[in-house]
Amino acid sequence: MFEEDLDQLGPQISTYVEALLRDGNVGVCGGAVRTSDFKSGSYITYERPVKPCCDRFKVSIPFAGNSVRWHVIFNCHCPSEPPDFIFDQEDRDFCPRVDEIQSLVNWKPDDNKSLLYVIRELVERYKEHQESLLETNPRLMYEYNSLKETYVYDQLEVFAGKRKSLGKDTPITFLIRLPVDLSAIPPYLIQGDPGEDIAILLISFQNSGSSKVLPQLYLSPRVEHAIGGASQLRIPVFPRNNSLSEYVPHVKELLSHKVEQVVKHYQSRRGYISAFLSQFGRSVLEYDAEGFTKISILQEWNDFHFVLHVDLPPTFPRDQPVLTFQSVYHTGNYGKPYHSVQKGYPYSPRWNGNEMVERTRSFMIGYLPEFRRNSVGSGKLS
């Protein structure tokens, strides 16, 4: 929401909305609340100055893979009074008791988070409402309870649908926050605010017979970047006659294993780059200080200068680094510096970082006479 949008609201109401948008992550996935359709319920005459007086708007709240829209109605003439709510027509059965919404009963006009507290409490009531709708499907109700009673997957939401369209099945969705330890994920820099590291599994039962099931895995930006994109973790299809209590733990274990591998590879690359820095510190031109995926050094041998580029694959140390020798004197095709790529030099993933660097140094010294001859013979002076 932009500052000019907040300016449409009365001063006190705008503080409630600003806090809602700034801190209003709600539900299992911690999705952001959005606002729209600002309107005024007051009549403005031309005899008095026109002031910002919008006091009603819509809020869109992420819930179990869907978006729930409610109308929030303040009174700009009495902005300290608690708001009224109008729920979506399709949610006409959702009628929480006002006296049970404690943050509404005990409305605190001086607390700019008062609206946020009410929204959060209403979302909890809406969650209970959706659970009650699920009771019309005994099989999925059993699935939901079985998963919830494990106390491992207690952060979940179910969307059993709104008012059903005539002759159409309403998909039933389960949103589950996977309890995977993501604290060791490498501290990659992500543009903007990447938010909390989370993994969310969304499972949609497309018809009432539960015969068509669509699972989807959603990862927060830093986690997705760390594992190389969501495509690098292909979750299995939901097997026929399978249950949530069997399928969800399986996906959790797949993700946990992938995270463990990512962390191990990252630590190994960091150790390798550290060993290179230790042995070639003064010769280092540049290196990747975030992901530790490459390093370049300037070397000299018998008055012949060259650059050695070392590129580490994501699966290092299982797969060995690629060495690229680059001449600083000669150019090859298309005017680019003459270079030679080496992939089959002596290497073992069982060596520690220091030994790998020593073996690389030995190979470099042994290969340099051939590289110099090829550079002089094949390249052109730049």
Side-chain angles (χ1 to χ4, degrees), residues 117-160:
Y117 299 146
V118 175
I119 294 290
R120 285 178 174 170
E121 202 167 343
L122 284 173
V123 168
E124 286 302 312
R125 295 294 182 273
Y126 190 74
K127 180 178 179 180
E128 295 171 0
H129 170 66
Q130 289 296 326
E131 290 174 353
S132 68
L133 294 179
L134 189 62
E135 293 176 357
T136 60
N137 191 315
R139 185 220 157 170
L140 293 184
M141 189 68 200
Y142 172 77
E143 294 271 12
Y144 179 76
N145 288 332
S146 297
L147 196 62
K148 192 173 182 180
E149 288 170 359
T150 63
Y151 297 104
V152 176
Y153 306 98
D154 55 347
Q155 295 195 59
L156 72 159
E157 295 169 348
V158 60
F159 185 82

Side-chain angles (χ1 to χ4, degrees), residues 312-330:
L312 284 71
T315 52
F316 175 86
R318 185 189 68 191
D319 298 318
Q320 71 183 104
V322 175
L323 307 180
T324 302
F325 292 79
Q326 177 184 312
S327 171
V328 300
Y329 307 105
H330 305 95

Side-chain angles (χ1 to χ4, degrees), residues 66-77:
N66 295 271
S67 183
V68 179
R69 292 179 178 84
W70 298 336
H71 295 259
V72 182
I73 303 173
F74 281 94
N75 184 342
C76 65
H77 298 296

Side-chain angles (χ1 to χ4, degrees), residues 70-261:
W70 298 336
H71 295 259
V72 182
I73 303 173
F74 281 94
N75 184 342
C76 65
H77 298 296
C78 301
S80 61
E81 294 295 318
D84 290 327
F85 288 84
I86 298 178
F87 304 109
D88 197 336
Q89 180 65 24
E90 294 180 336
D91 278 324
R92 61 182 183 179
D93 296 330
F94 176 53
C95 300
R97 291 172 56 90
V98 174
D99 58 355
E100 293 179 352
I101 311 300
Q102 295 303 311
S103 53
L104 200 57
V105 174
N106 301 311
W107 177 262
K108 298 178 180 179
D110 296 330
D111 187 345
N112 60 1
K113 292 187 178 181
S114 292
L115 178 60
L116 170 60
Y117 299 146
V118 175
I119 294 290
R120 285 178 174 170
E121 202 167 343
L122 284 173
V123 168
E124 286 302 312
R125 295 294 182 273
Y126 190 74
K127 180 178 179 180
E128 295 171 0
H129 170 66
Q130 289 296 326
E131 290 174 353
S132 68
L133 294 179
L134 189 62
E135 293 176 357
T136 60
N137 191 315
R139 185 220 157 170
L140 293 184
M141 189 68 200
Y142 172 77
E143 294 271 12
Y144 179 76
N145 288 332
S146 297
L147 196 62
K148 192 173 182 180
E149 288 170 359
T150 63
Y151 297 104
V152 176
Y153 306 98
D154 55 347
Q155 295 195 59
L156 72 159
E157 295 169 348
V158 60
F159 185 82
K162 299 182 180 181
R163 183 181 177 185
K164 290 182 171 55
S165 301
L166 184 62
K168 293 184 179 180
D169 277 332
T170 301
I172 297 177
T173 58
F174 293 86
L175 190 73
I176 306 148
R177 182 164 179 166
L178 298 178
V180 177
D181 183 7
L182 302 172
S183 60
I185 286 289
Y188 294 117
L189 299 178
I190 303 294
Q191 288 186 343
D193 181 8
E196 183 184 5
D197 291 337
I198 59 174
I200 297 292
L201 182 62
L202 177 66
I203 302 178
S204 301
F205 291 83
Q206 299 294 306
N207 52 40
S208 57
S210 307
S211 59
K212 186 178 180 181
V213 185
L214 177 63
Q216 295 172 281
L217 180 65
Y218 296 94
L219 305 173
S220 55
R222 201 163 66 94
V223 178
E224 183 171 345
H225 179 75
I227 69 174
S231 61
Q232 296 298 315
L233 183 67
R234 298 186 180 275
I235 62 175
V237 297
F238 194 93
R240 198 176 188 84
N241 299 323
N242 204 287
S243 66
L244 287 176
S245 58
E246 294 174 339
Y247 181 78
V248 175
H250 180 49
V251 175
K252 172 186 173 295
E253 288 305 315
L254 287 176
L255 180 58
S256 296
H257 178 71
K258 182 67 176 180
V259 169
E260 290 174 3
Q261 292 301 310

